[in-house]
Amino acid sequence: MMRTFLMLSALALATPLAAQDAPVTAVPQSEAEQSRLRQVGAEVLFWSQEQRDANFPNMEKVFPVHVVEASATPRPLPPGAPLPIDAAALDAFIAEQNIAGLIVVQDGKVRLERYARGYGPEGRWTSFSVAKSFTSTLLGAAIADGYIDSVDEPVTKYIPELAGSAYDGVSIAQLLTMTSGARWNEDYTDPNSDVARMFLEPVPAGEDPTVYFMRRLEREAEPGSKWVYKTGETNLIGVLVRNATGKSLAEYLSEKVWQPYGMETDAVWMVDPSGNEVSGCCLSVSLRDYARFGQFILEGAPGAVPDGWVADATRAHATVRPGGFGYGYQWWTYPEGRYGAQGIFGQTITIDAESRTVVAISGAWPRASDPALWAERAAFVDRLIDAADAE
């Protein structure tokens, strides 16, 4: 089964990488092309290292996307004092973690910036689930703009197609914190898991593929009583924001963050077969703009979200494991008051409010997720923040 899966993936990717040189902004019209893209989307988890290195900085050459337009006046990221970190240890960390880009920004100044694996400051790198934190910020913006009244409202008010499903009685806050009680399998090694199958099936005409899949889930716990990581629920947040605002997520992200805060590079956001952004995943952003987004959140997302939103979003609403590891509104919370965004294959933004430091890392791990790689990543990021805080 797995060998066949990988062979299909290799065949499916052979043409797009050679044939496309610019972002694709239209959804493919033929069912055959949509079927091929659904298959490739499911197979991303099982790409070879060669495919990861080729595709992670070029996802717009593989999938259709929407463009998030950058600012005409980019926010400066001036150089700061070089971070006092051992060069050999840094080189070893970059090599061992298959890192493509690493940046440390403190007080809005760049104290460390490194690139590898053919990546550079002019490029973009896929976010995977780091996008979840962007999506939750857009929900906060929709509340600030009056499109949504409160996180205490029921999800079915904005996605009525979920009525009669496991999402009856689930609040927006429970969707944000992944405590809906719906049963879900996020196993990245299993091609039959929910996360792998979500966009694999054809969807009846006129139906949203996320809603079509998610409304068939069963309930395993009372809403609010159990935390389970579910990419599909972030995709529902995206549907909710689109329904409430009447805008695409790419358009709204440009309006609320990219242009007013001064992002310097257009981002691209992968779209599903219906032409809507895959909001639990798959933004492609430059390394410096990942750092700017971290700085934007560190500053409280000025002008975009309600007062107190960032503080509430980045505190633990659910416990993930002992020792200070929790989950907020699509943000992970860590010991020592730190918080961040995480994506498979080694994508992270880590924020330390006390030292006013942001660390953004893009990578291409050999596996989607690995406890040893996460532990090594966390330890070295702590080391970078401690070095920044020491001066």
CSV table of all heavy atoms in Angstrom, one decimal, residues 255-303:
chain,number,residue,atom,x,y,z
A,255,GLU,N,-5.5,42.6,4.0
A,255,GLU,CA,-6.1,43.8,4.5
A,255,GLU,C,-5.8,44.1,5.9
A,255,GLU,O,-5.6,45.2,6.3
A,255,GLU,CB,-7.6,43.7,4.3
A,255,GLU,CG,-8.5,44.8,4.9
A,255,GLU,CD,-10.0,44.4,4.9
A,255,GLU,OE1,-10.4,43.7,4.0
A,255,GLU,OE2,-10.7,44.9,5.9
A,256,LYS,N,-5.7,43.0,6.8
A,256,LYS,CA,-5.6,43.2,8.2
A,256,LYS,C,-4.2,43.1,8.7
A,256,LYS,O,-3.8,43.7,9.8
A,256,LYS,CB,-6.4,42.2,9.0
A,256,LYS,CG,-7.9,42.2,8.6
A,256,LYS,CD,-8.6,43.5,8.8
A,256,LYS,CE,-8.6,44.0,10.2
A,256,LYS,NZ,-9.3,45.3,10.4
A,257,VAL,N,-3.3,42.4,8.0
A,257,VAL,CA,-1.9,42.2,8.5
A,257,VAL,C,-0.9,42.6,7.4
A,257,VAL,O,0.0,43.4,7.7
A,257,VAL,CB,-1.7,40.7,8.9
A,257,VAL,CG1,-0.3,40.6,9.5
A,257,VAL,CG2,-2.7,40.3,9.9
A,258,TRP,N,-0.9,42.0,6.3
A,258,TRP,CA,0.2,42.1,5.3
A,258,TRP,C,0.5,43.5,4.9
A,258,TRP,O,1.6,44.0,4.9
A,258,TRP,CB,0.0,41.2,4.1
A,258,TRP,CG,1.0,40.1,3.9
A,258,TRP,CD1,1.8,39.9,2.9
A,258,TRP,CD2,1.3,39.0,4.8
A,258,TRP,NE1,2.6,38.8,3.1
A,258,TRP,CE2,2.3,38.3,4.3
A,258,TRP,CE3,0.8,38.7,6.1
A,258,TRP,CZ2,2.9,37.1,4.9
A,258,TRP,CZ3,1.3,37.6,6.7
A,258,TRP,CH2,2.3,36.8,6.1
A,259,GLN,N,-0.6,44.3,4.6
A,259,GLN,CA,-0.3,45.6,4.1
A,259,GLN,C,-0.2,46.6,5.3
A,259,GLN,O,0.8,47.4,5.3
A,259,GLN,CB,-1.5,46.0,3.2
A,259,GLN,CG,-1.4,45.2,1.9
A,259,GLN,CD,-2.2,45.8,0.7
A,259,GLN,OE1,-2.5,47.0,0.7
A,259,GLN,NE2,-2.6,45.0,-0.2
A,260,PRO,N,-1.1,46.6,6.3
A,260,PRO,CA,-0.9,47.6,7.3
A,260,PRO,C,0.4,47.4,8.1
A,260,PRO,O,1.0,48.4,8.6
A,260,PRO,CB,-2.1,47.5,8.2
A,260,PRO,CG,-2.7,46.2,7.8
A,260,PRO,CD,-2.3,45.9,6.4
A,261,TYR,N,0.8,46.2,8.3
A,261,TYR,CA,2.0,46.0,9.2
A,261,TYR,C,3.3,46.0,8.4
A,261,TYR,O,4.4,46.1,8.9
A,261,TYR,CB,1.9,44.6,9.9
A,261,TYR,CG,2.9,44.6,11.1
A,261,TYR,CD1,2.7,45.4,12.2
A,261,TYR,CD2,4.0,43.8,11.0
A,261,TYR,CE1,3.6,45.4,13.3
A,261,TYR,CE2,4.9,43.8,12.1
A,261,TYR,CZ,4.7,44.5,13.2
A,261,TYR,OH,5.6,44.5,14.3
A,262,GLY,N,3.2,46.0,7.1
A,262,GLY,CA,4.4,46.2,6.3
A,262,GLY,C,5.2,44.9,5.9
A,262,GLY,O,6.4,44.9,5.9
A,263,MET,N,4.5,43.9,5.5
A,263,MET,CA,5.1,42.7,5.0
A,263,MET,C,5.7,43.0,3.7
A,263,MET,O,5.1,43.6,2.8
A,263,MET,CB,4.2,41.5,5.0
A,263,MET,CG,3.5,41.2,6.3
A,263,MET,SD,4.6,40.8,7.6
A,263,MET,CE,3.6,40.2,8.9
A,264,GLU,N,7.0,42.5,3.4
A,264,GLU,CA,7.7,42.9,2.2
A,264,GLU,C,7.5,42.0,1.0
A,264,GLU,O,7.8,42.4,-0.1
A,264,GLU,CB,9.2,43.1,2.5
A,264,GLU,CG,9.9,41.8,2.9
A,264,GLU,CD,11.4,42.0,3.1
A,264,GLU,OE1,12.0,42.9,2.5
A,264,GLU,OE2,12.0,41.3,4.0
A,265,THR,N,7.0,40.8,1.2
A,265,THR,CA,6.9,39.8,0.2
A,265,THR,C,5.5,39.3,0.1
A,265,THR,O,4.9,39.0,1.1
A,265,THR,CB,7.9,38.6,0.4
A,265,THR,OG1,9.2,39.1,0.5
A,265,THR,CG2,7.8,37.6,-0.8
A,266,ASP,N,4.9,39.2,-1.1
A,266,ASP,CA,3.6,38.5,-1.3
A,266,ASP,C,3.7,37.1,-0.7
A,266,ASP,O,4.7,36.4,-0.9
A,266,ASP,CB,3.3,38.4,-2.8
A,266,ASP,CG,2.8,39.7,-3.4
A,266,ASP,OD1,2.6,40.7,-2.7
A,266,ASP,OD2,2.7,39.7,-4.6
A,267,ALA,N,2.7,36.7,0.1
A,267,ALA,CA,2.6,35.3,0.5
A,267,ALA,C,1.6,34.6,-0.5
A,267,ALA,O,0.9,35.3,-1.2
A,267,ALA,CB,2.1,35.2,1.9
A,268,VAL,N,1.6,33.3,-0.5
A,268,VAL,CA,0.6,32.6,-1.2
A,268,VAL,C,0.0,31.5,-0.3
A,268,VAL,O,0.7,31.0,0.5
A,268,VAL,CB,1.2,31.9,-2.5
A,268,VAL,CG1,1.7,33.0,-3.5
A,268,VAL,CG2,2.4,30.9,-2.2
A,269,TRP,N,-1.3,31.3,-0.5
A,269,TRP,CA,-2.0,30.4,0.3
A,269,TRP,C,-2.7,29.3,-0.5
A,269,TRP,O,-3.5,29.7,-1.4
A,269,TRP,CB,-3.1,31.2,1.1
A,269,TRP,CG,-3.5,30.5,2.4
A,269,TRP,CD1,-3.5,29.2,2.7
A,269,TRP,CD2,-4.0,31.2,3.6
A,269,TRP,NE1,-3.9,29.0,4.0
A,269,TRP,CE2,-4.2,30.2,4.6
A,269,TRP,CE3,-4.2,32.6,3.9
A,269,TRP,CZ2,-4.7,30.5,5.8
A,269,TRP,CZ3,-4.6,32.9,5.2
A,269,TRP,CH2,-4.9,31.9,6.1
A,270,MET,N,-2.3,28.1,-0.3
A,270,MET,CA,-2.9,27.0,-1.1
A,270,MET,C,-4.4,26.9,-0.9
A,270,MET,O,-5.0,27.2,0.1
A,270,MET,CB,-2.3,25.7,-0.6
A,270,MET,CG,-2.7,24.4,-1.4
A,270,MET,SD,-2.3,22.9,-0.6
A,270,MET,CE,-0.5,23.1,-0.4
A,271,VAL,N,-5.1,26.6,-2.0
A,271,VAL,CA,-6.6,26.5,-2.0
A,271,VAL,C,-7.0,25.1,-2.2
A,271,VAL,O,-6.3,24.2,-2.8
A,271,VAL,CB,-7.2,27.4,-3.0
A,271,VAL,CG1,-6.9,28.9,-2.8
A,271,VAL,CG2,-6.8,27.1,-4.5
A,272,ASP,N,-8.2,24.7,-1.7
A,272,ASP,CA,-8.7,23.4,-1.9
A,272,ASP,C,-9.5,23.3,-3.2
A,272,ASP,O,-9.5,24.2,-4.0
A,272,ASP,CB,-9.6,23.1,-0.7
A,272,ASP,CG,-10.9,23.9,-0.6
A,272,ASP,OD1,-11.4,24.4,-1.6
A,272,ASP,OD2,-11.4,24.1,0.6
A,273,PRO,N,-10.1,22.1,-3.5
A,273,PRO,CA,-10.7,22.0,-4.8
A,273,PRO,C,-11.9,22.9,-5.1
A,273,PRO,O,-12.2,23.1,-6.2
A,273,PRO,CB,-11.2,20.5,-4.8
A,273,PRO,CG,-10.3,19.8,-3.9
A,273,PRO,CD,-9.9,20.8,-2.8
A,274,SER,N,-12.4,23.5,-4.0
A,274,SER,CA,-13.5,24.5,-4.2
A,274,SER,C,-13.0,25.9,-4.4
A,274,SER,O,-13.8,26.8,-4.7
A,274,SER,CB,-14.5,24.5,-3.0
A,274,SER,OG,-13.8,25.0,-1.9
A,275,GLY,N,-11.7,26.1,-4.3
A,275,GLY,CA,-11.1,27.4,-4.5
A,275,GLY,C,-10.9,28.2,-3.3
A,275,GLY,O,-10.7,29.4,-3.3
A,276,ASN,N,-11.1,27.6,-2.1
A,276,ASN,CA,-11.0,28.3,-0.8
A,276,ASN,C,-9.7,27.9,-0.1
A,276,ASN,O,-9.2,26.8,-0.3
A,276,ASN,CB,-12.2,28.0,0.1
A,276,ASN,CG,-13.5,28.6,-0.4
A,276,ASN,OD1,-13.5,29.7,-0.9
A,276,ASN,ND2,-14.5,27.8,-0.3
A,277,GLU,N,-9.1,28.8,0.6
A,277,GLU,CA,-7.8,28.6,1.3
A,277,GLU,C,-7.9,27.4,2.2
A,277,GLU,O,-8.9,27.2,3.0
A,277,GLU,CB,-7.3,29.8,2.0
A,277,GLU,CG,-7.0,31.0,1.1
A,277,GLU,CD,-8.2,31.8,0.8
A,277,GLU,OE1,-9.3,31.5,1.2
A,277,GLU,OE2,-8.0,32.9,0.2
A,278,VAL,N,-6.9,26.6,2.3
A,278,VAL,CA,-6.8,25.5,3.2
A,278,VAL,C,-6.2,26.1,4.5
A,278,VAL,O,-5.0,26.2,4.8
A,278,VAL,CB,-5.8,24.4,2.7
A,278,VAL,CG1,-5.8,23.2,3.7
A,278,VAL,CG2,-6.3,23.9,1.4
A,279,SER,N,-7.1,26.5,5.4
A,279,SER,CA,-6.8,27.4,6.5
A,279,SER,C,-6.0,26.8,7.6
A,279,SER,O,-5.5,27.5,8.5
A,279,SER,CB,-8.0,28.2,7.0
A,279,SER,OG,-9.1,27.3,7.3
A,280,GLY,N,-6.0,25.5,7.7
A,280,GLY,CA,-5.2,24.8,8.7
A,280,GLY,C,-3.8,24.6,8.3
A,280,GLY,O,-3.0,23.9,9.0
A,281,CYS,N,-3.4,25.1,7.1
A,281,CYS,CA,-2.1,24.7,6.6
A,281,CYS,C,-1.8,25.7,5.4
A,281,CYS,O,-2.5,26.5,5.0
A,281,CYS,CB,-2.2,23.3,6.0
A,281,CYS,SG,-0.8,22.7,5.1
A,282,CYS,N,-0.5,25.5,5.0
A,282,CYS,CA,-0.1,25.8,3.6
A,282,CYS,C,-0.1,27.2,3.1
A,282,CYS,O,-0.4,27.5,2.0
A,282,CYS,CB,-0.9,24.9,2.7
A,282,CYS,SG,-0.9,23.2,3.2
A,283,LEU,N,0.3,28.1,4.0
A,283,LEU,CA,0.7,29.4,3.6
A,283,LEU,C,2.2,29.3,3.2
A,283,LEU,O,2.9,28.5,3.8
A,283,LEU,CB,0.7,30.4,4.8
A,283,LEU,CG,-0.5,31.3,4.9
A,283,LEU,CD1,-0.5,32.0,6.3
A,283,LEU,CD2,-0.6,32.4,3.8
A,284,SER,N,2.6,30.1,2.2
A,284,SER,CA,4.1,30.1,1.9
A,284,SER,C,4.5,31.6,2.1
A,284,SER,O,3.9,32.5,1.5
A,284,SER,CB,4.3,29.7,0.5
A,284,SER,OG,4.2,28.3,0.3
A,285,VAL,N,5.5,31.8,3.0
A,285,VAL,CA,5.8,33.1,3.5
A,285,VAL,C,7.3,33.2,3.5
A,285,VAL,O,8.0,32.2,3.8
A,285,VAL,CB,5.2,33.3,4.9
A,285,VAL,CG1,5.6,34.6,5.5
A,285,VAL,CG2,3.7,33.2,4.9
A,286,SER,N,7.9,34.4,3.3
A,286,SER,CA,9.3,34.6,3.4
A,286,SER,C,9.7,34.5,4.9
A,286,SER,O,8.9,34.8,5.8
A,286,SER,CB,9.7,35.9,2.9
A,286,SER,OG,9.3,37.0,3.7
A,287,LEU,N,11.0,34.2,5.2
A,287,LEU,CA,11.5,34.0,6.5
A,287,LEU,C,11.3,35.3,7.3
A,287,LEU,O,10.9,35.4,8.5
A,287,LEU,CB,12.9,33.6,6.5
A,287,LEU,CG,13.5,33.3,7.9
A,287,LEU,CD1,12.9,32.1,8.6
A,287,LEU,CD2,15.1,33.1,7.8
A,288,ARG,N,11.7,36.4,6.7
A,288,ARG,CA,11.6,37.7,7.4
A,288,ARG,C,10.1,38.1,7.7
A,288,ARG,O,9.8,38.7,8.7
A,288,ARG,CB,12.2,38.8,6.5
A,288,ARG,CG,13.8,38.7,6.6
A,288,ARG,CD,14.4,39.9,5.9
A,288,ARG,NE,15.7,40.1,6.5
A,288,ARG,CZ,16.2,41.3,6.8
A,288,ARG,NH1,15.5,42.4,6.6
A,288,ARG,NH2,17.4,41.4,7.4
A,289,ASP,N,9.2,37.7,6.8
A,289,ASP,CA,7.8,38.0,7.1
A,289,ASP,C,7.2,37.1,8.2
A,289,ASP,O,6.3,37.5,8.9
A,289,ASP,CB,6.9,37.9,5.8
A,289,ASP,CG,7.1,39.2,4.9
A,289,ASP,OD1,7.7,40.2,5.5
A,289,ASP,OD2,6.7,39.1,3.8
A,290,TYR,N,7.7,35.8,8.3
A,290,TYR,CA,7.4,35.0,9.4
A,290,TYR,C,7.8,35.7,10.7
A,290,TYR,O,7.1,35.8,11.7
A,290,TYR,CB,8.1,33.6,9.4
A,290,TYR,CG,7.4,32.6,8.5
A,290,TYR,CD1,8.1,32.0,7.5
A,290,TYR,CD2,6.1,32.3,8.7
A,290,TYR,CE1,7.5,31.0,6.7
A,290,TYR,CE2,5.5,31.3,7.9
A,290,TYR,CZ,6.2,30.7,6.9
A,290,TYR,OH,5.6,29.7,6.1
A,291,ALA,N,9.0,36.3,10.7
A,291,ALA,CA,9.5,37.0,11.9
A,291,ALA,C,8.6,38.3,12.1
A,291,ALA,O,8.3,38.6,13.3
A,291,ALA,CB,11.0,37.4,11.7
A,292,ARG,N,8.3,39.0,11.1
A,292,ARG,CA,7.4,40.2,11.2
A,292,ARG,C,6.1,39.8,11.9
A,292,ARG,O,5.5,40.5,12.7
A,292,ARG,CB,7.2,40.9,9.9
A,292,ARG,CG,8.4,41.7,9.4
A,292,ARG,CD,8.0,42.5,8.2
A,292,ARG,NE,9.1,43.3,7.7
A,292,ARG,CZ,10.0,42.9,6.8
A,292,ARG,NH1,10.0,41.7,6.3
A,292,ARG,NH2,11.0,43.7,6.4
A,293,PHE,N,5.5,38.6,11.4
A,293,PHE,CA,4.2,38.2,12.0
A,293,PHE,C,4.4,37.9,13.5
A,293,PHE,O,3.6,38.3,14.3
A,293,PHE,CB,3.7,37.0,11.3
A,293,PHE,CG,2.4,36.5,11.8
A,293,PHE,CD1,1.2,37.2,11.6
A,293,PHE,CD2,2.3,35.4,12.6
A,293,PHE,CE1,0.0,36.8,12.1
A,293,PHE,CE2,1.0,35.0,13.1
A,293,PHE,CZ,-0.1,35.7,12.9
A,294,GLY,N,5.5,37.3,13.9
A,294,GLY,CA,5.8,37.1,15.3
A,294,GLY,C,5.9,38.4,16.0
A,294,GLY,O,5.4,38.5,17.2
A,295,GLN,N,6.5,39.4,15.4
A,295,GLN,CA,6.7,40.7,16.1
A,295,GLN,C,5.3,41.4,16.2
A,295,GLN,O,5.0,42.0,17.2
A,295,GLN,CB,7.6,41.6,15.2
A,295,GLN,CG,7.9,42.9,15.8
A,295,GLN,CD,8.7,42.9,17.1
A,295,GLN,OE1,9.5,41.9,17.3
A,295,GLN,NE2,8.5,43.8,18.0
A,296,PHE,N,4.5,41.2,15.1
A,296,PHE,CA,3.1,41.7,15.1
A,296,PHE,C,2.3,41.2,16.3
A,296,PHE,O,1.6,41.9,17.0
A,296,PHE,CB,2.5,41.4,13.8
A,296,PHE,CG,1.0,41.6,13.6
A,296,PHE,CD1,0.5,42.9,13.5
A,296,PHE,CD2,0.1,40.6,13.6
A,296,PHE,CE1,-0.8,43.2,13.3
A,296,PHE,CE2,-1.3,40.9,13.4
A,296,PHE,CZ,-1.7,42.2,13.3
A,297,ILE,N,2.4,39.9,16.5
A,297,ILE,CA,1.7,39.3,17.7
A,297,ILE,C,2.3,39.7,19.0
A,297,ILE,O,1.6,40.0,20.0
A,297,ILE,CB,1.7,37.7,17.5
A,297,ILE,CG1,1.0,37.3,16.3
A,297,ILE,CG2,1.2,37.1,18.8
A,297,ILE,CD1,-0.5,37.7,16.3
A,298,LEU,N,3.6,39.8,19.0
A,298,LEU,CA,4.3,40.3,20.3
A,298,LEU,C,3.8,41.7,20.7
A,298,LEU,O,3.7,42.0,21.9
A,298,LEU,CB,5.8,40.3,20.0
A,298,LEU,CG,6.7,40.7,21.2
A,298,LEU,CD1,6.5,39.8,22.4
A,298,LEU,CD2,8.2,40.6,20.7
A,299,GLU,N,3.5,42.5,19.7
A,299,GLU,CA,3.1,43.8,19.9
A,299,GLU,C,1.6,43.9,20.2
A,299,GLU,O,1.0,45.0,20.4
A,299,GLU,CB,3.4,44.7,18.7
A,299,GLU,CG,4.9,44.9,18.5
A,299,GLU,CD,5.2,45.7,17.2
A,299,GLU,OE1,4.3,46.2,16.6
A,299,GLU,OE2,6.4,45.8,16.9
A,300,GLY,N,0.9,42.7,20.2
A,300,GLY,CA,-0.6,42.7,20.4
A,300,GLY,C,-1.4,42.8,19.2
A,300,GLY,O,-2.6,43.1,19.3
A,301,ALA,N,-0.8,42.6,18.0
A,301,ALA,CA,-1.6,42.6,16.7
A,301,ALA,C,-2.3,44.0,16.6
A,301,ALA,O,-3.5,44.1,16.5
A,301,ALA,CB,-2.6,41.5,16.6
A,302,PRO,N,-1.5,45.1,16.7
A,302,PRO,CA,-2.1,46.4,16.7
A,302,PRO,C,-3.1,46.7,15.6
A,302,PRO,O,-2.7,46.5,14.4
A,302,PRO,CB,-0.9,47.4,16.7
A,302,PRO,CG,0.2,46.5,16.2
A,302,PRO,CD,-0.1,45.1,16.6
A,303,GLY,N,-4.2,47.2,15.9
A,303,GLY,CA,-5.2,47.7,14.9
A,303,GLY,C,-6.0,46.5,14.2
A,303,GLY,O,-6.8,46.8,13.4
